[in-house]
């Protein structure tokens, strides 16, 4: 009988302290790896959301400017425009102005909407790499200061920047009023 008890005693043995410590160490290592992976995934997701928000803001402001430039009544209405500022006179006679400022923002004034003068459209631009350019029928650059009546198309080039991202958007616009042409004397 004594031998049977000895066999039972040897087979009913538990975990040793070393085995428990090895398992706990392995769990700790897997836990740290999982936490690191989740942390990196959160950073990537957050960065992706910030980038998407930045791109959406850039596109929204850029396409707003393009849309409103297309409302230009005629090239004579560009008087006072520069390569950093554009004056838009709409067909109904309202004036909309966009100005790229050295404070790395674009301000918008719009007579159509009460109280919307000098509103910041976006504050994420690079002043030195953003401009309006004006072209004649042959595609030659027009000096807007003294040849505004020759403008047939307007090119926008705006570089948007924030902490981690930048994007340059470019487009040419032929304003609707300019596309139709100058009114003849019998139209006035």
């Amino acid at each position: 009988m004594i031998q049977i008890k000895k066999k039972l005693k040897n087979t009913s043995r538990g975990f040793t302290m070393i085995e428990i410590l090895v398992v706990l160490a392995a769990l700790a290592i897997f836990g740290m790896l999982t936490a690191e992976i989740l942390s990196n995934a959160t950073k990537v997701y957050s960065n992706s959301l910030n980038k998407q928000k930045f791109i959406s803001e850039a596109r929204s402001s850029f396409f707003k400017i393009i849309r409103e430039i297309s409302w230009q009544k005629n090239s004579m209405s560009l008087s006072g425009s520069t390569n950093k500022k554009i004056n838009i006179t709409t067909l109904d006679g309202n004036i909309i102005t966009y100005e790229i400022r050295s404070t790395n923002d674009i301000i918008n004034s719009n007579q159509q909407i009460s109280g919307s003068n000098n509103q910041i459209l976006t504050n994420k631009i690079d002043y030195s790499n953003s401009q309006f350019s004006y072209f004649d029928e042959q595609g030659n650059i027009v000096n807007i200061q003294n040849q505004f009546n020759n403008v047939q198309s307007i090119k926008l080039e705006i570089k948007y920047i924030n902490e981690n991202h930048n994007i340059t958007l470019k487009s040419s616009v032929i304003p609707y009023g300019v596309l139709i042409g100058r009114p003849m004397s019998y139209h006035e």
Side-chain angles (χ1 to χ4, degrees):
M1 276 258 225
I2 295 177
Q3 282 184 339
I4 294 175
K5 285 184 182 180
K6 229 179 188 187
K7 277 188 177 182
L8 288 177
K9 189 175 181 184
N10 286 340
T11 58
S12 65
R13 217 177 115 198
F15 293 108
T16 65
M17 184 61 93
I18 293 176
E19 291 171 331
I20 292 173
L21 290 175
V22 168
V23 169
L24 288 176
L27 287 174
I29 290 170
F30 288 130
M32 287 187 330
L33 290 174
T34 302
E36 185 67 28
I37 289 170
L38 289 175
S39 173
N40 287 339
T42 303
K43 287 177 188 173
V44 167
Y45 179 72
S46 177
N47 191 28
S48 177
L49 282 180
N50 289 338
K51 182 177 181 180
Q52 186 59 39
K53 182 179 175 186
F54 167 70
I55 290 172
S56 292
E57 181 180 338
R59 286 180 178 167
S60 174
S61 64
F62 188 77
F63 291 125
K64 178 179 174 43
I65 297 169
I66 288 174
R67 183 183 72 239
E68 292 180 0
I69 286 176
S70 72
W71 299 344
Q72 183 71 11
K73 182 177 181 180
N74 58 46
S75 58
M76 297 294 288
S77 301
L78 290 168
S79 175
S81 296
T82 67
N83 69 335
K84 298 293 184 180
K85 178 181 179 182
I86 187 163
N87 295 322
I88 303 162
T89 303
T90 63
L91 294 174
D92 59 4
N94 289 306
I95 297 174
I96 302 169
T97 303
Y98 288 98
E99 184 177 355
I100 301 167
R101 300 191 309 176
S102 59
T103 52
N104 291 328
D105 58 16
I106 298 175
I107 60 167
N108 172 235
S109 296
N110 188 341
Q111 285 184 346
Q112 294 175 319
I113 303 169
S114 176
S116 69
N117 289 330
N118 298 324
Q119 298 284 328
I120 294 178
L121 180 64
T122 181
N123 60 357
K124 294 181 170 92
I125 64 144
D126 180 3
Y127 174 80
S128 59
N129 290 307
S130 300
Q131 68 179 359
F132 301 106
S133 302
Y134 306 90
F135 296 89
D136 63 13
E137 284 183 22
Q138 289 77 34
N140 300 318
I141 292 179
V142 171
N143 180 342
I144 194 65
Q145 307 289 302
N146 54 24
Q147 296 177 322
F148 53 85
N149 56 343
N150 294 333
V151 173
Q152 289 296 307
S153 67
I154 302 164
K155 180 181 176 186
L156 288 81
E157 182 173 346
I158 301 175
K159 183 174 184 178
Y160 294 86
I161 57 173
N162 75 359
E163 303 97 28
N164 302 320
H165 310 289
N166 68 68
I167 183 173
T168 300
L169 299 177
K170 300 177 185 181
S171 183
S172 293
V173 180
I174 300 175
Y176 180 71
V178 173
L179 182 65
I180 292 174
R182 293 183 181 87
M184 303 305 279
S185 60
Y186 54 84
H187 288 137
E188 297 178 27

Coordinates of all heavy atoms in Angstrom, one line a residue, residues 59-73 88 90 96 98 108 110 112-113 121 156 171-177:
R59 N -9.4 71.5 -50.4 CA -10.3 71.4 -51.6 C -11.5 72.3 -51.5 O -11.9 72.9 -52.5 CB -10.7 69.9 -51.8 CG -9.7 69.0 -52.3 CD -10.2 67.6 -52.4 NE -9.2 66.7 -52.9 CZ -9.3 65.4 -52.9 NH1 -10.3 64.8 -52.4 NH2 -8.3 64.7 -53.4
S60 N -12.1 72.3 -50.4 CA -13.3 73.2 -50.2 C -13.0 74.6 -50.5 O -13.8 75.3 -51.2 CB -13.8 73.0 -48.8 OG -14.9 73.8 -48.5
S61 N -12.0 75.2 -49.9 CA -11.7 76.6 -50.1 C -11.2 76.8 -51.6 O -11.6 77.8 -52.2 CB -10.6 77.0 -49.1 OG -9.4 76.4 -49.4
F62 N -10.5 75.9 -52.1 CA -10.0 76.1 -53.5 C -11.2 76.1 -54.5 O -11.3 77.0 -55.4 CB -9.0 75.0 -53.9 CG -8.3 75.2 -55.2 CD1 -7.3 76.1 -55.3 CD2 -8.7 74.4 -56.3 CE1 -6.6 76.2 -56.5 CE2 -8.0 74.6 -57.5 CZ -7.0 75.5 -57.6
F63 N -12.1 75.1 -54.3 CA -13.2 75.0 -55.3 C -14.2 76.2 -55.1 O -14.9 76.6 -56.0 CB -13.8 73.7 -55.2 CG -13.0 72.6 -55.8 CD1 -12.6 71.5 -55.0 CD2 -12.4 72.7 -57.0 CE1 -11.8 70.5 -55.5 CE2 -11.6 71.7 -57.6 CZ -11.3 70.6 -56.8
K64 N -14.3 76.7 -53.9 CA -15.1 77.9 -53.6 C -14.6 79.1 -54.4 O -15.3 79.8 -55.1 CB -15.2 78.2 -52.1 CG -16.0 79.5 -51.8 CD -16.0 79.7 -50.3 CE -16.6 80.9 -49.8 NZ -17.8 81.4 -50.4
I65 N -13.3 79.3 -54.4 CA -12.7 80.4 -55.2 C -12.9 80.2 -56.7 O -13.3 81.1 -57.4 CB -11.2 80.5 -54.8 CG1 -11.0 80.9 -53.4 CG2 -10.5 81.5 -55.8 CD1 -9.5 80.8 -52.9
I66 N -12.7 79.0 -57.2 CA -12.8 78.7 -58.6 C -14.3 78.9 -59.0 O -14.6 79.6 -60.0 CB -12.5 77.2 -58.9 CG1 -11.0 77.0 -58.8 CG2 -13.0 76.8 -60.3 CD1 -10.5 75.6 -59.0
R67 N -15.2 78.4 -58.2 CA -16.6 78.6 -58.5 C -17.0 80.1 -58.6 O -17.6 80.5 -59.6 CB -17.5 77.9 -57.5 CG -19.0 78.0 -57.8 CD -19.9 77.4 -56.7 NE -19.9 78.3 -55.5 CZ -19.5 77.9 -54.3 NH1 -19.0 76.7 -54.1 NH2 -19.5 78.8 -53.3
E68 N -16.5 80.9 -57.7 CA -16.9 82.3 -57.7 C -16.1 83.1 -58.7 O -16.6 84.1 -59.2 CB -16.7 82.9 -56.3 CG -17.8 82.3 -55.3 CD -17.7 82.7 -53.9 OE1 -16.9 83.6 -53.5 OE2 -18.6 82.2 -53.1
I69 N -14.9 82.7 -59.1 CA -14.2 83.4 -60.2 C -15.0 83.1 -61.5 O -15.1 84.0 -62.3 CB -12.8 82.8 -60.3 CG1 -11.9 83.4 -59.2 CG2 -12.2 83.2 -61.7 CD1 -10.5 82.9 -59.2
S70 N -15.6 82.0 -61.6 CA -16.4 81.7 -62.9 C -17.6 82.7 -63.0 O -18.1 82.8 -64.1 CB -16.8 80.3 -62.9 OG -17.9 80.1 -62.0
W71 N -18.0 83.4 -61.9 CA -19.1 84.3 -62.0 C -18.7 85.7 -62.5 O -19.5 86.6 -62.6 CB -19.7 84.5 -60.6 CG -20.3 83.2 -60.0 CD1 -20.6 82.1 -60.7 CD2 -20.6 83.0 -58.6 NE1 -21.1 81.1 -59.8 CE2 -21.1 81.7 -58.5 CE3 -20.6 83.8 -57.5 CZ2 -21.5 81.2 -57.3 CZ3 -21.0 83.3 -56.3 CH2 -21.5 82.0 -56.2
Q72 N -17.4 85.9 -62.7 CA -16.9 87.2 -63.1 C -17.7 87.8 -64.3 O -17.8 87.1 -65.3 CB -15.4 87.1 -63.5 CG -14.7 88.4 -63.9 CD -14.5 89.3 -62.7 OE1 -14.7 88.9 -61.5 NE2 -14.1 90.5 -62.9
K73 N -18.1 89.0 -64.1 CA -19.0 89.7 -65.2 C -18.2 89.9 -66.5 O -18.7 89.6 -67.5 CB -19.5 91.0 -64.6 CG -20.4 91.7 -65.5 CD -20.9 93.0 -64.8 CE -21.9 93.7 -65.7 NZ -22.4 95.0 -65.0
I88 N -13.9 90.1 -58.0 CA -14.9 89.4 -58.8 C -16.1 90.3 -58.8 O -16.7 90.5 -57.7 CB -15.1 88.0 -58.4 CG1 -13.8 87.2 -58.3 CG2 -16.2 87.3 -59.2 CD1 -13.9 85.9 -57.5
T90 N -19.8 90.0 -59.9 CA -20.8 89.0 -60.4 C -21.8 89.7 -61.4 O -21.9 90.9 -61.5 CB -21.6 88.4 -59.3 OG1 -22.3 89.3 -58.6 CG2 -20.6 87.7 -58.3
I96 N -17.1 90.3 -55.0 CA -16.5 89.3 -54.1 C -15.0 89.4 -54.2 O -14.4 89.6 -55.4 CB -16.9 87.9 -54.5 CG1 -18.4 87.7 -54.5 CG2 -16.2 86.8 -53.7 CD1 -18.9 86.5 -55.2
Y98 N -11.1 87.9 -53.0 CA -10.2 87.0 -52.3 C -8.8 87.6 -52.2 O -8.3 88.0 -53.3 CB -10.2 85.6 -53.0 CG -11.5 84.9 -52.9 CD1 -12.4 84.9 -53.9 CD2 -11.7 84.1 -51.7 CE1 -13.6 84.2 -53.7 CE2 -12.9 83.4 -51.6 CZ -13.8 83.5 -52.6 OH -15.0 82.8 -52.4
N108 N -11.8 86.5 -47.4 CA -12.9 86.6 -48.4 C -13.8 87.7 -47.9 O -14.2 87.8 -46.8 CB -13.6 85.3 -48.5 CG -14.9 85.3 -49.3 OD1 -15.9 85.0 -48.8 ND2 -14.8 85.8 -50.5
N110 N -17.5 89.5 -49.3 CA -18.6 89.1 -50.3 C -19.8 90.1 -50.0 O -20.4 90.0 -48.9 CB -19.0 87.7 -50.1 CG -20.0 87.2 -51.1 OD1 -20.7 88.0 -51.8 ND2 -20.1 85.9 -51.3
Q112 N -22.6 90.0 -51.3 CA -23.9 89.3 -51.4 C -24.4 88.9 -50.1 O -25.6 88.7 -49.9 CB -23.7 88.0 -52.3 CG -23.4 88.4 -53.7 CD -23.1 87.1 -54.5 OE1 -22.5 86.2 -54.1 NE2 -23.7 87.0 -55.8
I113 N -23.5 88.7 -49.1 CA -23.8 88.2 -47.8 C -23.5 89.2 -46.8 O -22.4 89.6 -46.6 CB -23.1 86.9 -47.5 CG1 -23.4 85.8 -48.6 CG2 -23.5 86.3 -46.1 CD1 -22.5 84.6 -48.5
L121 N -11.0 82.5 -45.0 CA -11.4 81.3 -45.7 C -10.6 80.1 -45.3 O -11.1 79.0 -45.0 CB -11.3 81.5 -47.2 CG -11.7 80.4 -48.1 CD1 -13.2 80.1 -48.0 CD2 -11.4 80.7 -49.6
L156 N -5.2 79.7 -60.9 CA -5.0 79.7 -59.5 C -3.9 78.7 -59.1 O -3.9 77.6 -59.7 CB -6.2 79.3 -58.7 CG -7.4 80.3 -58.7 CD1 -8.2 80.2 -59.9 CD2 -8.2 79.9 -57.5
S171 N -5.4 75.3 -61.0 CA -6.5 75.2 -61.9 C -6.6 76.5 -62.7 O -6.2 77.6 -62.3 CB -7.9 75.0 -61.2 OG -8.9 74.8 -62.2
S172 N -7.1 76.4 -63.9 CA -7.4 77.6 -64.8 C -8.9 77.7 -64.9 O -9.6 76.7 -65.0 CB -6.7 77.4 -66.1 OG -5.3 77.5 -66.0
V173 N -9.3 79.0 -64.9 CA -10.7 79.3 -65.0 C -11.0 80.3 -66.1 O -10.2 81.3 -66.2 CB -11.3 79.8 -63.7 CG1 -12.7 80.1 -63.7 CG2 -10.9 78.9 -62.5
I174 N -12.0 80.0 -66.9 CA -12.4 81.0 -67.9 C -13.8 81.5 -67.3 O -14.8 80.8 -67.4 CB -12.6 80.4 -69.3 CG1 -11.3 79.9 -69.8 CG2 -13.2 81.5 -70.2 CD1 -11.3 79.2 -71.1
P175 N -13.8 82.7 -66.8 CA -15.0 83.2 -66.2 C -16.2 83.3 -67.2 O -15.9 83.6 -68.4 CB -14.7 84.6 -65.7 CG -13.2 84.6 -65.5 CD -12.7 83.6 -66.6
Y176 N -17.4 83.0 -66.8 CA -18.5 82.9 -67.7 C -18.7 84.2 -68.5 O -18.9 84.2 -69.7 CB -19.8 82.6 -66.9 CG -21.0 82.5 -67.7 CD1 -21.2 81.4 -68.6 CD2 -22.0 83.5 -67.7 CE1 -22.3 81.4 -69.4 CE2 -23.1 83.4 -68.5 CZ -23.3 82.4 -69.3 OH -24.4 82.3 -70.1
G177 N -18.6 85.3 -67.8 CA -18.8 86.6 -68.4 C -17.7 86.9 -69.4 O -18.0 87.6 -70.5

